[in-house]
Amino acid sequence: MRSDNVKTGVEHAPHRSLFNALGFTEEEMKKPMIGIVSSYNEIVPGHMNIDKIVNAVKLGVAEAGGVPVVFPAIAVCDGIAMGHVGMKYSLVTRDLIADSTECMALAHQFDGLVMVPNCDKNVPGLLMAAARINIPTVFVSGGPMLAGHVKGQKRSLSSMFEAVGAHAAGTMTEEDVCEFEQKVCPTCGSCSGMYTANSMNCLTEALGMGLRGNGTIPAVYSERLKLAKHAGMKVMEMLEKNIRPRDIMTKEAILNALTVDMALGCSTNSMLHLPAIAHEIGFDFDISFANPISEKTPNLCHLAPAGPTYMEDLNEAGGVYAVMKELADLGLLNLDCMTVTGKTVGENIKNAVNLNPEVIRPVDNPYSKTGGLAVLKGNLAPDGSVVKRSAVVPEMMVHEGPARVFDSEEDAIAAIKGGKIVAGDVVVIRYEGPKGGPGMREMLNPTSAIAGMGLGSSVALITDGRFSGASRGASIGHVSPEAAVGGPIALVKEGDIISINIPEMKLDLKVSDEELAKRKAEWKPIDKGEVTGYLARYRELVTSGNRGAVLEIK
């Protein structure tokens, strides 16, 4: 056992004295030590129940003959951090989580790990850590929130943000906004649509790192506690069989996850996190991989914000395994990939059944024949940009319009809510990329304002920042290279015509090469003020959005 490095032999008597201080018995000293990474806190709704999940994991580990030891991971609530300086501190936590978990696990020589994340950056951060540490590891999340109910309809957090836009447009009263406020988030859990947290928890199943139901069993269901107990038991089985994360998270498994992503209609943020996870196993993930996979993968689900169904509906319909079974029937998945169950993907999904063809469309009746995401390239985004095309209305799949240029999210929101954006415009928000932000803020406020004001079918938004999984419409993010390094998005001028063609995967600025070269020669980065602390270090190390915004030593 790895933990023998700190528990056995006379030379480790000092170490044992410290375990004695923790209350370890002699019997426990002889058992495998399993670290349980708890993302519990009292500020994130998706994490407020994780203490109960952790306790269930502990029971499972102990039942199977291990010694559970809990240590923490931080988490930011993107909804609470949205629209102010706090959003600069969201994406950056992914790497802090990975780094701190690596430190804790290796410093204390755990034999195995159970990761208990839930929200946007915890899941990929802990998957990155699992790949680095490479000891037997199982994931069990805190689970999704139930949908809210407002005026007889299911609703979620994206409805809340759009209600603010509707109020600004004069189409919703303050009383109606208040009703949404009280009802859209009725329980603990990760917000109830196919936003980033739920996307990544579902993709953890597809990767093979979580048990069946990890992505979909609601947070408030007792079934989630059973799942957590089984996760605790399963890590002990993995330890016995010596199944490790890098045996599971292979190149083939990551491409499986990308395929499932397309079918589910996941958040654009998965195109930041899958490359970052791939980076940890030495797989150079080019976001352009998305297009050939998307071209052959049908989009089977339209969960909020793309449609009227929610995570609880996906769970009842058969969950991620039912979606994977549909894809497997088309030959789109590698069924030989190993998983935390000790079985292959093919063995796991063999008996999965689609119980609701309205929630999970069969492959012969998809929402579209192509997947939920697309990578667009052109002279405005030479290294790529990302759009959730499953959430784009048909009339915006091809669009040309004048650029309305803003050098910060705040300036854009003021213009949108001030009625200065009109049908046909293409809103450009720049200097919000990984370096330019720094921190690559999510743009849920401006996309929600556009939708709430009735402009979702006539206005596009382009940014070197990113979007919340709750964003919908012609929202194109991750534009690379970003403005802060002199990418073409920095050269756009007010009124320039921008051409968007999602079916052809193109994003172009209708300005001549000669004019762009002239603008480039005259370009100077804008000064957004001094950045200190962690953000300053992050800005120096972070790569572009098309590379997953991973950190690299220059």
Side-chain angles (χ1 to χ4, degrees):
M1 291 188 299
R2 178 186 292 255
S3 61
D4 287 345
N5 291 331
V6 291
K7 291 192 308 189
T8 62
V10 174
E11 67 274 22
H12 293 130
H15 303 76
R16 289 196 299 276
S17 70
L18 293 167
F19 283 109
N20 283 328
L22 290 169
F24 272 49
T25 64
E26 288 186 18
E27 292 82 1
E28 286 175 316
M29 291 282 197
K30 298 173 184 176
K31 295 178 179 179
M33 188 167 65
I34 306 299
I36 303 174
V37 185
S38 171
S39 302
Y40 170 76
N41 63 48
E42 295 182 341
I43 189 61
V44 184
H47 292 235
M48 63 183 286
N49 64 316
I50 279 178
D51 56 339
K52 297 175 177 60
I53 305 295
V54 166
N55 285 336
V57 173
K58 290 172 70 175
L59 288 171
V61 169
E63 174 72 19
V67 180
V69 182
V70 179
F71 65 90
I74 64 169
V76 164
C77 177
D78 279 16
I80 295 174
M82 193 70 65
H84 56 90
V85 67
M87 183 45 71
K88 294 178 184 287
Y89 289 90
S90 173
L91 178 61
V92 304
T93 65
R94 184 188 70 185
D95 297 272
L96 279 174
I97 291 161
D99 293 349
S100 60
T101 303
E102 174 192 357
C103 292
M104 287 292 288
L106 295 180
H108 300 104
Q109 293 293 284
F110 289 103
D111 297 298
L113 296 168
V114 180
M115 307 290 201
V116 191
N118 209 24
C119 288
D120 296 31
K121 311 311 166 303
N122 285 80
V123 185
L126 291 179
L127 285 165
M128 291 162 66
R132 288 183 200 173
I133 300 160
N134 202 36
I135 60 177
T137 302
V138 179
F139 276 67
V140 56
S141 76
M145 184 184 291
L146 294 178
H149 292 263
V150 184
K151 300 186 187 303
Q153 290 186 309
K154 285 186 177 181
R155 298 290 190 178
S156 62
L157 184 65
S158 54
S159 305
M160 183 71 255
F161 277 89
E162 290 178 15
V164 175
H167 179 262
T171 59
M172 184 176 285
T173 67
E174 189 171 343
E175 290 74 19
D176 284 337
V177 173
C178 185
E179 183 178 3
F180 270 77
E181 180 183 333
Q182 296 299 321
K183 295 180 177 179
V184 294
C185 296
T187 72
C188 63
S190 48
C191 297
S192 55
M194 188 55 79
Y195 310 145
T196 307
N198 292 325
S199 294
M200 293 309 302
N201 281 320
C202 287
L203 295 185
T204 299
E205 283 191 60
L207 278 170
M209 289 298 293
L211 298 175
R212 181 175 189 172
N214 178 65
T216 60
I217 297 171
V220 295
Y221 283 14
S222 298
E223 189 67 26
R224 179 141 306 260
L225 297 178
K226 296 179 185 179
L227 183 75
K229 291 173 185 176
H230 283 134
M233 297 175 192
K234 190 59 65 175
V235 74
M236 296 301 295
E237 184 181 314
M238 291 178 69
L239 184 61
E240 182 181 341
K241 295 178 178 179
N242 195 30
I243 299 173
R244 300 173 182 237
R246 286 185 211 160
D247 300 323
I248 296 169
M249 288 192 286
T250 60
K251 173 181 177 180
E252 292 74 20
I254 288 171
L255 295 179
N256 273 353
L258 183 55
T259 302
V260 174
D261 182 312
M262 295 298 173
L264 286 171
C266 290
S267 164
T268 52
N269 282 313
S270 62
M271 295 302 291
L272 281 174
H273 302 321
L274 287 177
I277 295 162
H279 180 74
E280 297 294 342
I281 65 165
F283 170 28
D284 187 10
F285 183 107
D286 186 325
I287 63 170
S288 294
F289 293 160
N291 288 343
I293 288 178
S294 182
E295 285 305 294
K296 63 184 179 181
T297 305
N299 178 224
L300 306 180
C301 299
H302 263 194
L303 283 82
T309 53
Y310 295 81
M311 296 306 297
E312 62 204 65
D313 303 312
L314 179 59
N315 186 62
E316 295 299 322
V320 176
Y321 276 23
V323 175
M324 294 176 73
K325 182 64 164 59
E326 294 280 356
L327 298 175
D329 289 345
L330 281 183
L332 296 176
L333 296 179
N334 185 317
L335 301 181
D336 296 327
C337 293
M338 180 51 61
T339 73
V340 293
T341 66
K343 298 178 181 179
T344 64
V345 167
E347 291 172 313
N348 284 347
I349 67 174
K350 181 180 179 180
N351 297 317
V353 177
N354 181 354
L355 299 173
N356 189 336
E358 294 303 312
V359 176
I360 304 172
R361 290 279 186 91
V363 291
D364 58 1
N365 182 35
Y367 282 101
S368 69
K369 293 182 180 180
T370 53
L373 298 179
V375 173
L376 312 184
K377 289 189 174 183
N379 70 346
L380 187 52
D383 293 338
S385 61
V386 181
V387 63
K388 186 174 183 176
R389 64 176 166 188
S390 60
V392 179
V393 294
E395 53 265 41
M396 290 299 290
M397 296 295 280
V398 177
H399 179 77
E400 276 193 9
R404 304 299 308 281
V405 183
F406 305 94
D407 290 337
S408 73
E409 178 189 6
E410 288 83 357
D411 290 347
I413 291 171
I416 295 165
K417 291 186 176 178
K420 297 179 181 179
I421 303 301
V422 299
D425 284 349
V426 179
V427 176
V428 176
I429 305 178
R430 60 193 182 188
Y431 293 100
E432 291 287 7
K435 286 184 180 294
M440 204 179 186
R441 289 196 286 180
E442 287 186 344
M443 302 292 163
L444 179 56
N445 271 353
T447 59
S448 297
I450 287 169
M453 296 182 76
L455 297 170
S457 60
S458 59
V459 169
L461 194 154
I462 296 173
T463 182
D464 53 7
R466 61 195 179 94
F467 296 108
S468 165
S471 293
R472 62 187 176 99
S475 303
I476 301 166
H478 309 196
V479 170
S480 302
E482 63 175 291
V485 299
I489 192 172
L491 311 179
V492 181
K493 291 186 177 181
E494 187 81 8
D496 285 348
I497 300 300
I498 292 176
S499 173
I500 300 164
N501 192 320
I502 295 173
E504 294 186 6
M505 319 295 187
K506 292 181 179 178
L507 179 63
D508 287 303
L509 182 63
K510 302 194 86 171
V511 172
S512 69
D513 292 344
E514 293 77 14
E515 174 63 19
L516 285 177
K518 178 183 175 184
R519 293 182 188 181
K520 176 72 173 180
E522 297 170 350
W523 172 78
K524 293 180 181 178
I526 66 169
D527 182 7
K528 297 186 78 170
E530 184 181 8
V531 176
T532 60
Y534 181 61
L535 287 182
R537 298 197 299 277
Y538 182 87
R539 184 173 61 184
E540 289 302 309
L541 299 176
V542 71
T543 60
S544 64
N546 70 299
R547 297 191 57 209
V550 298
L551 304 186
E552 285 188 342
I553 297 171
K554 302 293 186 290

